[in-house]
Amino acid sequence: MAEKKIKMIVAKPGLDGHDRGAKLLSRIFAEAGMEVIYTGLRQTPEMIVAAAVQEDADVVGLSSLSGVHNYFFPRVVELLREKQMNDVLVVGGGIIPKEDIPGLKQAGVAEIFGPGTNTETIVNFIKENVRK
Amino acid sequence: MDTDYVAEILKGSPRAISRVISWLENDDPRASGCMEKIYPHTGRAYILGITGSPGSGKSSLTDKLTQKLRSQGLTVGIVAVDPTSPFTGGAILGDRVRMGDIAMDPGVFIRSMATRGYLGGLAQATSNAVKILDAAGKDIILIETVGVGQDEVDIIRIADTVCLVLVPGLGDVIQSMKAGVMEIADVYVINKSDRPGADQLCAEVTHRVAQDVEIRARQWPPPVVQTVATENEGIDEMADAIQAHRSYLEQSNRLIDKRRERTRDETLQMIHYELFRAIKAYLSRDHRMDQLVSDIMERRENPYRLMHRMLKNYLRLPESDISLNAD
Ligand SMILES: Nc1nc2c(ncn2[C@@H]2O[C@H](COP(=O)(O)OP(=O)(O)O)[C@@H](O)[C@H]2O)c(=O)[nH]1
Ligand SMILES: [Mg+2]
């Protein structure tokens, strides 16, 4: 059997209009050997989950700068569960106030990485926690 | 309880389609059993190839063409192939960025694939994904692939109709001619026709097509259509050109011939890779191959003789077929 590649969806939910950060992260994950499906701006949770199903993603990475995380991130987890994709690792990043983090984790987001997190930390977290 | 993936695929379940494509990608042993059961249900879909340089607008065209096909009541499967980095083994698959409008349509299934280093070849891997979408009931299957290397030219051979996308300002025509890509096109699409130089490129391609001895000898003169994918312009013309080519193939029986050739190639290739894999696995046991290589290096063994002996011992074919001199 060939070595299993980690497939990751990188999505930017919400309406803010620039995606330099998400693109940069996509490149970093690809350089770490992952197959990154970059979905672009203005993704709804439904679009993200449809992509995760069709691509059979192992990881969904959500980046939010516009304060929509409290709705969007848990909604993605919920929709994934509806599709019986409970084993998909959901991680988040962007500008997220500390006090929101426990709630997001409670909702099933595995980890939240704030701005300036060492990218190696993120990559290692994914490699250790992704479904095997 | 185990999911019956084959039954689920035949019902069109996105979850089952996508899981079995993953098995194919990972050379998971479960894939081949599924493919065997799925095969009788394939052969219904029409397969379209869209190829061209990176950034020429293939994904944008795929998006618009899919909307057009959907408006005609057809369901669509999309396989978008992008290169794996030879350095990191990773890949960025960005085709979905242009396909936002069709992402939520239940009549559309989009799968991104990286070129990886597929055991049976990229064309084989792509072709298997196409077969799954075909069995799942998709009417049209679109393969998007970058047209540069040999591998990509190969993938495109799985398509019934090939659209080659060219854009002004890339020196694309010259490059494509060199790579032998130009000849594979059934329809030329001049995209980004809102850009300067598009009319000139269109004229140049039309001229080349008219001059090319090999293309001229064919019964199907490939049309040249102009599009602006981002503005949804020229998409009807592109769809009409594809439909015209399809009608030509169907009415002239060329479609059957084409698929017959493809079936022959594919079958031989499958056997080729499986034989190779099996013999390699056998020789790799107990360091047998290492020993043989040492023997060959020290000239105690001879690779030509060894090859002949391998074939003779492990294939039950008539002697005349495995003779080194047989043609
Ligand atoms: N001006 C112009 N830009 C286009 C056109 N079609 C696509 N693009 C842009 O070209 C870029 C690459 O398009 P994409 O569809 O991703 O190309 P691909 O790499 O061949 O799949 C994107 O920024 C598109 O918006 C067009 O007809 N005109
Ligand atoms: Mg593309």
Side-chain angles (χ1 to χ4, degrees):
Chain A
M1 228 170 103
E3 175 210 0
K4 197 185 171 308
K5 294 262 162 79
I6 296 175
K7 282 210 175 187
M8 175 164 186
I9 306 254
V10 172
K12 194 145 184 313
L15 294 172
D16 58 312
H18 89 87
D19 60 352
R20 236 173 305 138
K23 274 186 176 158
L24 188 69
L25 275 170
S26 297
R27 211 162 304 134
I28 286 162
F29 295 135
E31 274 165 19
M34 302 182 198
E35 290 181 350
V36 182
I37 295 116
Y38 181 60
T39 55
L41 291 167
R42 283 181 279 281
Q43 295 284 302
T44 64
E46 286 75 12
M47 286 164 88
I48 294 166
V49 171
V53 169
Q54 294 175 1
E55 305 286 359
D56 196 16
D58 304 297
V59 189
V60 173
L62 302 168
S63 151
S64 164
L65 300 174
S66 50
V68 294
H69 51 270
N70 279 337
Y71 164 68
F72 273 82
F73 291 11
R75 180 77 183 131
V76 168
V77 175
E78 183 181 287
L79 287 170
L80 281 170
R81 287 187 180 148
E82 258 172 41
K83 303 271 178 197
Q84 276 94 50
M85 308 244 317
N86 311 40
D87 57 350
V88 175
L89 185 71
V90 180
V91 295
I95 299 169
I96 290 162
K98 258 205 174 74
E99 61 269 24
D100 288 351
I101 295 178
L104 292 172
K105 286 197 175 176
Q106 185 99 51
V109 180
E111 193 55 271
I112 298 287
F113 301 99
T117 310
N118 187 333
T119 53
E120 219 180 291
T121 309
I122 309 180
V123 168
N124 287 338
F125 180 87
I126 292 171
K127 287 189 174 168
E128 275 158 30
N129 292 283
V130 70
R131 64 186 182 191
K132 294 293 177 322
Chain B
M1 200 194 76
D2 273 356
T3 315
D4 181 349
Y5 283 96
V6 174
E8 287 296 309
I9 286 173
L10 296 180
K11 275 190 265 170
S13 148
R15 191 89 187 83
I17 297 171
S18 101
R19 180 48 57 86
V20 176
I21 295 179
S22 294
W23 288 348
L24 288 165
E25 292 185 310
N26 298 325
D27 280 320
D28 188 302
R30 285 170 287 189
S32 92
C34 274
M35 289 312 296
E36 194 178 325
K37 293 196 193 110
I38 279 168
Y39 192 78
H41 306 277
T42 61
R44 246 196 66 258
Y46 194 79
I47 307 168
L48 274 178
I50 299 200
T51 190
S53 302
S56 56
K58 298 179 295 299
S59 298
S60 311
L61 285 166
T62 298
D63 176 59
K64 295 302 188 303
L65 189 61
T66 299
Q67 292 182 45
K68 167 86 187 167
L69 294 166
R70 292 292 294 137
S71 76
Q72 296 169 343
L74 298 164
T75 56
V76 181
I78 297 168
V79 181
V81 183
D82 282 297
T84 292
S85 156
F87 305 108
T88 63
I92 294 192
L93 312 167
D95 303 302
R96 276 184 181 270
V97 175
R98 314 280 164 227
M99 301 185 192
D101 295 337
I102 52 177
M104 288 307 297
D105 182 340
V108 178
F109 187 102
I110 308 169
R111 179 64 173 234
S112 314
M113 281 176 83
T115 51
R116 295 194 187 180
Y118 286 104
L119 208 60
L122 178 58
Q124 189 76 56
T126 313
S127 155
N128 282 330
V130 166
K131 287 197 181 82
I132 291 175
L133 291 167
D134 182 351
K138 296 290 177 272
D139 297 310
I140 307 282
I141 295 159
L142 266 149
I143 306 170
E144 175 192 331
T145 176
V146 175
V148 279
Q150 270 323 107
D151 241 4
E152 284 77 4
V153 176
D154 231 43
I155 309 182
I156 244 28
R157 291 195 205 287
I158 352 177
D160 298 317
T161 297
V162 174
C163 300
L164 176 62
V165 184
L166 301 166
V167 290
L170 277 187
D172 240 354
V173 179
I174 320 295
Q175 274 172 26
S176 304
M177 296 295 284
K178 267 196 205 135
V181 172
M182 207 75 179
E183 281 72 19
I184 62 168
D186 301 305
V187 175
Y188 294 91
V189 180
I190 313 292
N191 190 41
K192 306 201 183 181
S193 284
D194 52 332
R195 295 242 177 117
D199 291 339
Q200 196 195 327
L201 176 63
C202 187
E204 192 182 338
V205 173
T206 310
H207 180 72
R208 293 262 185 148
V209 169
Q211 294 293 306
D212 191 300
V213 189
E214 201 261 323
I215 297 176
R216 254 171 47 193
R218 293 184 208 160
Q219 285 172 35
W220 171 258
V224 184
V225 296
Q226 286 193 260
T227 57
V228 184
T230 40
E231 302 298 321
N232 207 9
E233 276 172 33
I235 304 301
D236 288 353
E237 288 76 4
M238 181 179 173
D240 288 347
I242 292 166
Q243 183 51 48
H245 182 243
R246 179 177 183 171
S247 303
Y248 153 73
L249 288 179
E250 284 169 352
Q251 280 154 23
S252 64
N253 271 333
R254 264 295 292 151
L255 188 60
I256 307 257
D257 294 348
K258 226 176 165 166
R259 289 186 170 186
R260 197 183 166 79
E261 254 169 68
R262 201 184 304 151
T263 304
R264 179 197 307 272
D265 289 352
E266 247 177 36
T267 307
L268 276 170
Q269 256 190 27
M270 276 169 64
I271 298 171
H272 167 98
Y273 282 112
E274 199 46 34
L275 263 178
F276 179 78
R277 196 201 54 74
I279 291 183
K280 192 173 163 194
Y282 169 74
L283 285 177
S284 303
R285 247 191 282 146
D286 314 325
H287 304 286
R288 227 170 291 181
M289 195 64 205
D290 293 336
Q291 186 56 50
L292 283 169
V293 171
S294 300
D295 290 348
I296 292 168
M297 292 285 289
E298 286 154 31
R299 301 300 189 271
R300 282 192 301 262
E301 178 58 275
N302 180 319
Y304 300 92
R305 199 170 59 204
L306 172 69
M307 166 178 71
H308 202 178
R309 206 173 60 230
M310 287 297 303
L311 293 186
K312 213 162 120 186
N313 289 351
Y314 300 108
L315 292 182
R316 278 191 214 140
L317 294 175
E319 186 73 16
S320 58
D321 287 332
I322 51 178
S323 150
L324 289 176
N325 298 321
D327 51 22

